[in-house]
Each structure stands twice: as structure tokens, then as C-alpha cells.
Amino acid sequence: MNLTVYFKKFFESSQASGIILIFCVLVSLLIANSSFAESFQHFLDREAGTEIFHLKYPVSIWINDGLMAIFFLLVGLEIKREMVEGELSSFKNASLPIFAAIGGMLVPAIIYTFFNFGTSYGNGWGIPMATDIAFSLAIISMLGKRIPNSIKIFLAALAIVDDLGAILVIAIFYTEQIHWMYLFLSLGITVLLFLLNFLKVTRIIFYLIPGLFLWYFLHHSGIHATIAGVLLAFTIPTNVSTVEISPLEKLEHQLHFPVSFLIMPVFALTNTNITFNNEMIGGLTSTLGLGIIIGLVAGKLIGINLFSLLAIKLKLSSLPQKSTWMHMIGVGLLAGIGFTMSIFIALLSFKDEIPIQDEAKFAILIASFIAAVSGFLILKVSSKNDIIEDEEN
């Protein structure tokens, strides 16, 4: 077997994107703690674009608000497809990620507030609420086919609801000013997109062009522009036919490679460049550090599983197909990977307070590492147990 075939199999593997993502994280951390740190940060801060229509932003903004909107578009397409013809097509299955996400936001915020109420860190209660959808999905993808697809879809749906919740929290509590004219224009574009769907327009280009305007208006409204990707995804036409390929499935197929092997690695490379210092280590045992770490790791785990249990006991929801509570514990831990969205909220919470921002970043990094490793190991063990049980039966 020649090298070309090996590389083809590697890039087609569901584990490949996760491996590349982790590699990019390590490279980013090495750069941030080397002599290249200042020049790399200078590159990220360099403005690109055009002054026309106010589209000149730092490179980091183009990546986080622009490229990641495409990532959210892909995940939104997958969620919609599952809601129409897959794992989320029943109310009981579709409702569980919503209940789980609510618990996964409330409990971490309560834990953080318990540690920091009345202190100078109190404004950071939104930090442990967020789940980094890109990293959490990358970690679970590394387990390949050993994990039921329903669990992967559950995590993706939970993370999207979680991120929408985080975006609302940012918009309501951390955004200094919302530009209502742009927000209403965004609403108008969204209505137009749904109208195109209702009129059974199937050419994808007629959705992508208004989608660009939707991104532009949302970005200028003051709300995180990545939500444009999710809104656009839910307007793309699909069907339940197994013979005819829908516009949604075509677009989904076209986006998989660039998102997995370009957008997500670039995102990881530019968002984990944390420069370590001695104050960061001391900050782990402060109320700020404890609130973030316990909030993300224990808070997400408890909140997601507690609210899921309540929803199932009340017969409002049901466990994902072929899944167990051990899978749910693993997912609850993976949802504690806060990373970039948590860091973003930390920057908004402690504006112009660089030492506190650095402590918060390091606590988020440690919490995310603990959540990623423990979640991965639990899901790996649960998959082995499932194989043993299948063999015994």
C-alpha cells in the first residue's frame, strides 16, 4: 500500500480531524511560549479587509466570527438532517439536548457564583457556562465507530443549544450596545431565507448570498456572528428520501473536508496561544480559578445529567438510541471543554484587567484538559464494556 492511499484513509477517518486539532493546540501553546509569541500575536492583531462597508477587522476576528460561522453552518446542517430523518426526529430525542444544555448552563453558573459572589470576580459567572463545540466534537470523533452515532449527535445538539445560550448571555449581559437596526435587518434576511424554503427554492446559491448579508448584519448588530451559520442551516431544504440527494446533503458533503481539515485547525492554532506565567498557577487555587474549574468539570457533568434524568423521569425525553448513562457521563464531561467561548466571555468579563484575564485563561485551559481527558477515557471504557456485553450475548 503506497503513501498516497495511507493519507487518503487518514483524511477520510473520523479520528483524523481530532488528531490534527490536538496537534494544532500543542503547536499554538509552543508558539505562545517561545520567541515567536509576540510576532504571532502581532499577525493575529493585524487588520485585514476593506474600509468599504466597515469590513476591516483583525485576522483573529475573521477567524472567530467569519470562518467559525461556516463551522456552525455545517453543524447546523447535521442537526437539521437528524431532526428531519434521524436521531432527533422524535420529540423525546430532540428535547433531551435542550434540557441537558439548560442544566449544563445553570449549574456551572451557580457553582461559580457560590465561589465568587460579592468578590471582584463576580462578573465572570458566564465563563463556565460555555461548551467549545469544535473541541468537544473533535475529541468524541477520535473514538470513531466505538461510540453510538446517537451520542455524537446528542453532544452536537447539546453544544449548539449551549452556544446559542452563551451568545444570548453575551448579548444581554456582556454586550455594551446592540445596534437594533442591524438586528432587525438580520431578522428580515432570516424571514426571507425561510420564505425561499417555503417556496421550494432548491439552488443553494440563493441561500448562500442572503446568508452572507445575514452574517454581515448580525456582526454589526453586536451579537456574535456565528449564529448566522445556524440560522442559515435551518433554512436549507432537505427531504426524507434515501434516493434523491437534497440541497442540504449536498452542501453538508461539500463543507466536511474544508471545515475538518482547514477551519477547525486554524481555529485551534489561533485561539489557544496562551503564554504561561507564574501568577497563573497561583490563580488556580483562587476563588476565580476554583469557580471556573469546578464549574466547567463538575458543574457541566452534574447539570447535564441531572436535567437529563429529570426530563426522562418526567417522560418528556428519552435516552439517545443504543446509549447508556455511562455515555451520558462521558458527554457531560466533554461538555466541560470551555476553551474559546469561555475565554471570550472571560475577556468581556474582565476588560482591561490583564492579570485576571490570564488567570481565567489558564483555569479554563486546565479545566478543559481535565474534561477532555476524563470524558474521552470514560467513553472509551464504556465502549469496551459494550463490546464485551455484545460478545457475551
Side-chain angles (χ1 to χ4, degrees):
M1 187 180 288
N2 60 41
L3 190 62
T4 304
V5 177
Y6 273 119
F7 267 93
K8 185 178 180 182
K9 286 185 174 294
F10 175 75
F11 281 110
E12 287 176 350
S13 167
S14 60
Q15 302 176 26
S17 61
I19 295 169
I20 292 173
L21 203 64
I22 291 171
F23 174 75
C24 288
V25 170
L26 296 175
V27 170
S28 182
L29 290 172
L30 285 172
I31 291 173
N33 293 278
S34 71
S35 58
F36 298 106
E38 189 174 340
S39 56
F40 184 61
Q41 188 59 51
H42 178 71
F43 167 73
L44 294 178
D45 293 337
R46 181 182 298 172
E47 291 195 338
T50 174
E51 292 288 358
I52 302 172
F53 302 119
H54 305 290
L55 279 173
K56 194 168 186 179
Y57 302 111
V59 171
S60 58
I61 296 295
W62 281 114
I63 292 168
N64 292 335
D65 288 16
L67 290 182
M68 285 307 290
I70 301 173
F71 169 78
F72 272 83
L73 170 60
L74 174 60
V75 177
L77 291 172
E78 293 178 341
I79 296 297
K80 181 178 178 179
R81 175 170 49 76
E82 292 300 325
M83 290 178 70
V84 172
E85 56 182 302
E87 299 290 344
L88 301 177
S89 56
S90 72
F91 174 79
K92 283 194 171 184
N93 287 346
S95 63
L96 188 64
I98 297 173
F99 289 115
I102 292 170
M105 289 185 284
L106 287 178
V107 175
I110 290 169
I111 289 174
Y112 181 93
T113 303
F114 172 79
F115 280 99
N116 293 284
F117 183 76
T119 72
S120 57
Y121 304 133
N123 196 42
W125 56 269
I127 297 171
M129 292 177 69
T131 294
D132 192 305
I133 185 170
F135 282 99
S136 58
L137 293 183
I139 296 297
I140 202 169
S141 74
M142 293 177 67
L143 291 160
K145 295 180 180 179
R146 287 176 290 185
I147 298 298
N149 282 331
S150 60
I151 281 293
K152 297 175 186 176
I153 293 161
F154 171 75
L155 176 59
L158 182 157
I160 277 199
V161 175
D162 188 296
D163 267 9
L164 292 176
I167 288 168
L168 285 174
V169 166
I170 291 168
I172 296 169
F173 298 101
Y174 293 103
T175 299
E176 293 180 354
Q177 184 179 6
I178 291 179
H179 300 281
W180 293 101
M181 183 189 75
Y182 285 114
L183 196 59
F184 284 123
L185 287 170
S186 303
L187 178 62
I189 294 291
T190 305
V191 171
L192 171 64
L193 286 164
F194 277 107
L195 181 61
L196 290 172
N197 184 297
F198 178 76
L199 295 173
K200 302 189 184 305
V201 176
T202 57
R203 290 192 65 183
I204 294 173
I205 190 67
F206 290 121
Y207 293 88
L208 296 183
I209 292 174
L212 290 173
F213 282 96
L214 177 61
W215 179 89
Y216 175 84
F217 291 140
L218 272 174
H219 190 271
H220 283 72
S221 72
I223 293 177
H224 208 271
T226 50
I227 195 175
V230 179
L231 293 173
L232 175 59
F234 276 80
T235 66
I236 304 294
T238 189
N239 55 51
V240 294
S241 171
T242 57
V243 178
E244 183 184 357
I245 299 176
S246 69
L248 182 147
E249 290 166 326
K250 287 179 184 177
L251 184 58
E252 188 180 356
H253 176 73
Q254 291 167 350
L255 289 176
H256 261 293
F257 189 89
V259 166
S260 297
F261 300 108
L262 177 63
I263 291 174
M264 288 174 65
V266 168
F267 172 77
L269 194 62
T270 57
N271 281 279
T272 51
N273 58 323
I274 300 171
T275 304
F276 301 128
N277 57 56
N278 294 331
E279 288 75 17
M280 284 181 170
I281 297 173
L284 294 177
T285 55
S286 68
T287 56
L288 172 68
L290 292 173
I292 291 172
I293 294 171
I294 297 175
L296 277 172
V297 179
K300 284 286 184 183
L301 174 64
I302 294 168
I304 287 169
N305 283 278
L306 177 62
F307 275 59
S308 294
L309 180 63
L310 288 172
I312 290 168
K313 290 293 184 184
L314 293 171
K315 301 188 184 303
L316 298 172
S317 307
S318 59
L319 275 176
Q321 192 176 11
K322 296 181 181 179
S323 68
T324 65
W325 281 106
M326 186 64 76
H327 289 128
M328 295 291 287
I329 290 172
V331 167
L333 286 165
L334 288 186
I337 304 174
F339 251 77
T340 49
M341 188 61 85
S342 290
I343 289 173
F344 182 60
I345 296 175
L347 297 178
L348 294 176
S349 302
F350 308 113
K351 284 186 176 179
D352 303 321
E353 298 179 82
I354 304 300
I356 298 178
Q357 288 180 1
D358 288 342
E359 288 180 24
K361 284 182 182 180
F362 191 55
I364 292 165
L365 181 65
I366 295 298
S368 298
F369 177 78
I370 294 170
V373 172
S374 55
F376 178 85
L377 291 176
I378 284 178
L379 286 172
K380 189 173 182 180
V381 169
S382 68
S383 68
K384 286 182 179 178
N385 291 340
D386 291 341
I387 293 170
I388 292 170
E389 287 177 9
D390 289 340
E391 289 175 350
E392 288 176 351
N393 293 332

